[in-house]
Amino acid sequence: MIRRVAVLPQPPLLIPELAAGAADECAELREACLAATRRLTSVSPEWIVVGAALGAPEVPEHASGSFRGFGVDLGVSLSRVTAPETELPLPALVAGWLREQGGASSVRVRLVDPATPSDQCERFAQELGEPAAVLVLGDGSSRHGPRSPGGEDERAEGFDAGIRDALAKADSGALSALDPALAAELGAGGRAPWQVLAGLAADGDWTAEVLYSAAPFGVGYHVAVWEHA
C-alpha cells in the first residue's frame, strides 16, 4: 500500500553546486524538498519516482549520471550500487541527488511524456503497483512575471494557485481535471506527473501538507507531502 507521497519540483537550482549565486535564494525551497524526502525515507528506503521527459525514455535501475550538461560535473546515482555512468534525463538526475540527500537506498524512475493524455496518465499509475513511498517530480507554470523563462502570462498565477490548493487538500479529482492544453501553454511540466499522482491516489483517504509554494524565479514550485490516512 502507498503510505506516503512527496511532490517536488525539479529545477537544477535545487543543487547548491548548480545554483551558484542563487544558492541563498533557493535555501527555503531546498530545505522544504529535503524535509519532504526525509519523510519519504522514514516509511521506506526504496522509492518509486514519477517524472516527465520527452519520449519517456526508460531509466535503468542502479544507473549513475552527472549534471555535467547543466554546467557542473556533479555525479549522482539511483542506488547505492555502483554502476557505469550513463546519460540521464533531468528528473532522474534530480531523483538521484534527492536519494543521496534523503538517505534512501534506491529509487526507480518511471517517466511519462509531457504530452501524455490525462486518461493515459491514470492508466500509467495503475502499472506502478503500490510502493510504500512515491516521489512525484514536476514544475508549475514557467510564465510568472515579466522575467519568467516562458514570458509573462496572467493565467499563470491562477493555475498555480489551483495546484497549490489541490495539493493542500489531497484533491486527486482537481489534479485529474487539469487541462493538458492549458498546462502546455503555461509551460507547466508537472501536469502529467501530477495526473499520475491523481491515478495513484484515486482510492482511499489522504491527508496533505504543503511545505512550500511560490514562483521565485518566474516558475511555480510546489512541495507537498500526502499521507494515506
Side-chain angles (χ1 to χ4, degrees):
M1 181 181 73
I2 300 174
R3 296 174 57 194
R4 191 166 291 165
V5 178
V7 182
L8 273 64
Q10 58 180 33
L13 288 172
L14 275 181
I15 292 87
E17 292 88 340
L18 277 68
D24 289 343
E25 295 178 70
C26 297
E28 183 181 357
L29 170 62
R30 185 181 306 113
E31 182 49 43
C33 289
L34 296 182
T37 55
R38 288 192 292 267
R39 288 169 66 174
L40 271 191
T41 306
S42 71
V43 298
S44 175
E46 300 177 346
W47 309 342
I48 287 287
V49 180
V50 178
L54 288 173
E58 184 173 344
V59 178
E61 292 188 38
H62 311 301
S64 297
S66 171
F67 282 98
R68 190 180 303 110
F70 294 88
V72 177
D73 190 8
L74 175 67
V76 295
S77 175
L78 300 185
S79 79
R80 293 173 180 165
V81 177
T82 303
E85 183 180 307
T86 187
E87 186 173 348
L88 295 176
L90 178 60
L93 291 172
V94 172
W97 184 80
L98 290 169
R99 178 198 70 79
E100 296 169 2
Q101 302 300 311
S105 59
S106 66
V107 297
R108 288 187 292 152
V109 179
R110 300 292 182 263
L111 300 175
V112 292
D113 190 275
T116 302
S118 302
D119 59 340
Q120 291 185 25
C121 289
E122 297 191 26
R123 285 200 295 270
F124 181 89
Q126 297 171 6
E127 299 171 1
L128 298 177
E130 292 191 346
V134 179
L135 173 63
V136 177
L137 294 174
D139 298 343
S141 173
S142 63
R143 307 192 67 177
H144 288 269
R147 294 187 175 182
S148 58
E152 186 172 16
D153 190 309
E154 62 183 9
R155 299 172 296 174
E157 183 175 354
F159 178 87
D160 274 302
I163 299 300
R164 181 189 63 241
D165 290 347
L167 293 176
K169 298 173 183 176
D171 189 344
S172 59
L175 295 179
S176 181
L178 290 173
D179 181 355
L182 175 62
E185 290 173 11
L186 294 177
R191 189 276 308 173
W194 295 331
Q195 291 191 318
V196 174
L197 168 59
L200 288 171
D203 298 322
D205 294 326
W206 296 82
T207 60
E209 180 182 3
V210 171
L211 307 184
Y212 181 94
S213 182
F217 303 101
V219 182
Y221 298 142
H222 308 284
V223 181
V225 176
W226 288 16
E227 299 195 33
H228 203 281

